[in-house]
Amino acid sequence: MHKVIYDTDPGVDDAMALLFLHHHAEIDLIGITTVFGNALIETTTRNALFLKREWKIDAPVARGAGETFIPHRVSHAPPTSIHGDDGLGNIGVPEQVDVPLDPRPAHRFIVEAIRANPGEVTLVAVGRMTNLANALKEDPEIVKLVKQVVIMGGAFHTSGNVTPAAEANIHGDPEAADMVFTASWPVVVVGLDVTMQTVMTRQALADIRDAAGSRAQLLFDLSQFYIKFYESRVPDGMVIHDSCAAVYVVAPELFTTRKGSIRVVCGGIADGMTVQKPEGRGFGPSDWDGLPSQTICTGIDAPAVLKIIHDTIVSVRED
Ligand code: BDR
Ligand code: CA
């Protein structure tokens, strides 16, 4: 059983990954922590509470960072053309969702959950890395107590999606991501190199809805705006970035990987760019030397990943 804390900025693709984690038989979802990104922190937190209520998820929700790790860093407006003004595809999420929040800030929730379950917690982080960096700052010892950190973010051998250099989750808080990648805990990076290959078609999403009932009807509805955004970018469907990271936890064999230290460019025209120094390759002295070797995903069995998502979500039917 994998004990998972899901750090997220819901977000349409975040919502699908949440439903996957909630339904998967080998995952014990012990917490949901929110971060700003696809919308402001008030909105992503409200959305997490909304999805918790609608999908009857027991895990507590803790509200996280609403600004970058280094305060007042140049920040970017939420991508409303991708996820809608409400972050969930403009389905009309209520302003207030009457579900209590965990009293702790997200980073403290993360620290305390790791300390309560030494060696057992997997962090699945699919938004900006701000809460993870804040957790490391508060309690650096957690690096020895975490099982692994699986993140959606970055682009190594492909272009970014916010700038040619940078992917959104890293671009949104580069210093936080650099801290997460250079810390001595095991990190797996599921970036655009593999997520851009993983397209769920409209029909596949409709099949999930038909087989899974009302929970998946909500998923279907909130995804339509996002599908429209992807219309001109991928053939007939949507890229399911965050679900790829969630699937990695239970099926790492569906990914090919490469090890090496990772740095994030902080500032300048390549702000947020991720660069790995592959293990075993010779270079001159550089700022990649002597750092922990982390894992990046370089390939994916996309049909198999899509099948696991389908099978997991339809494994629980609700009318
Ligand atoms: C990432 O950015 C967000 O828009 C998505 O939810 C995903 O986590 C993709 O670059
Ligand atoms: Ca996300």
Side-chain angles (χ1 to χ4, degrees):
M1 197 58 121
H2 304 271
K3 286 192 175 159
V4 167
I5 297 175
Y6 183 49
D7 189 73
T8 177
D9 59 336
V12 173
D13 60 320
D14 303 70
M16 176 180 285
L18 174 61
L19 191 55
F20 172 84
L21 292 167
H22 175 45
H23 281 188
H24 200 284
E26 287 163 34
I27 286 177
D28 176 12
L29 185 61
I30 64 168
I32 301 167
T33 51
T34 61
V35 67
F36 74 128
N38 288 327
L40 301 177
I41 188 63
E42 293 74 21
T43 307
T44 58
T45 305
R46 185 272 318 259
N47 290 352
L49 292 172
F50 172 70
L51 295 171
K52 171 179 159 70
R53 186 185 77 189
E54 295 303 302
W55 288 338
K56 303 184 177 67
I57 297 173
D58 290 335
V61 173
R63 173 179 158 138
E67 66 169 324
T68 48
F69 182 59
I70 295 177
H72 315 304
R73 191 190 204 278
V74 178
S75 209
H76 313 276
T80 51
S81 63
I82 307 175
H83 297 269
D85 296 318
D86 67 0
L88 289 178
N90 291 343
I91 52 167
V93 183
E95 289 289 323
Q96 297 289 332
V97 178
D98 198 14
V99 175
L101 265 177
D102 191 277
R104 292 164 287 185
H107 67 279
R108 190 150 309 130
F109 180 94
I110 290 170
V111 165
E112 290 183 6
I114 291 170
R115 287 214 167 262
N117 301 275
E120 285 190 85
V121 174
T122 296
L123 298 176
V124 177
V126 298
R128 300 172 187 201
M129 303 297 130
T130 322
N131 292 333
L132 274 59
N134 284 333
L136 285 170
K137 186 175 170 195
E138 176 152 303
D139 186 354
E141 297 289 303
I142 58 170
V143 296
K144 297 190 205 121
L145 302 171
V146 136
K147 185 171 174 193
Q148 68 175 343
V149 181
V150 181
I151 75 113
M152 189 282 132
F156 293 86
H157 300 119
T158 188
S159 303
N161 59 359
V162 176
T163 72
E167 180 280 331
N169 289 341
I170 309 299
H171 188 254
D173 197 348
E175 286 82 6
D178 194 54
M179 185 163 178
V180 167
F181 295 156
T182 56
S184 294
W185 55 7
V187 180
V188 179
V189 184
V190 183
L192 296 180
D193 304 79
V194 296
T195 65
M196 285 305 292
Q197 298 174 39
T198 314
V199 177
M200 183 175 285
T201 64
R202 287 172 191 273
Q203 186 56 52
L205 183 62
D207 291 346
I208 290 177
R209 175 199 55 193
D210 295 344
S214 61
R215 290 177 189 214
Q217 180 68 51
L218 173 60
L219 180 66
F220 181 88
D221 292 343
L222 66 83
S223 299
Q224 296 310 307
F225 186 91
Y226 182 81
I227 288 178
K228 265 218 142 339
F229 169 82
Y230 272 107
E231 221 159 41
S232 59
R233 291 164 176 86
V234 294
D236 187 38
M238 59 179 181
V239 177
I240 52 163
H241 302 285
D242 293 347
S243 291
C244 295
V247 169
Y248 182 93
V249 176
V250 290
E253 69 280 1
L254 299 180
F255 298 77
T256 50
T257 59
R258 187 179 76 189
K259 296 209 68 172
S261 55
I262 303 170
R263 297 302 308 265
V264 179
V265 178
C266 295
I269 61 166
D271 199 26
M273 184 177 185
T274 47
V275 183
Q276 187 187 46
K277 175 188 172 192
E279 256 182 22
R281 286 270 304 277
F283 299 91
S286 76
D287 288 338
W288 282 255
D289 295 345
L291 294 169
S293 194
Q294 309 292 15
T295 301
I296 67 163
C297 292
T298 51
I300 188 168
D301 181 346
V305 167
L306 289 161
K307 181 171 180 340
I308 288 200
I309 293 166
H310 172 278
D311 293 352
T312 302
I313 295 180
V314 309
S315 66
V316 181
R317 190 183 160 84
E318 192 176 61
D319 294 313

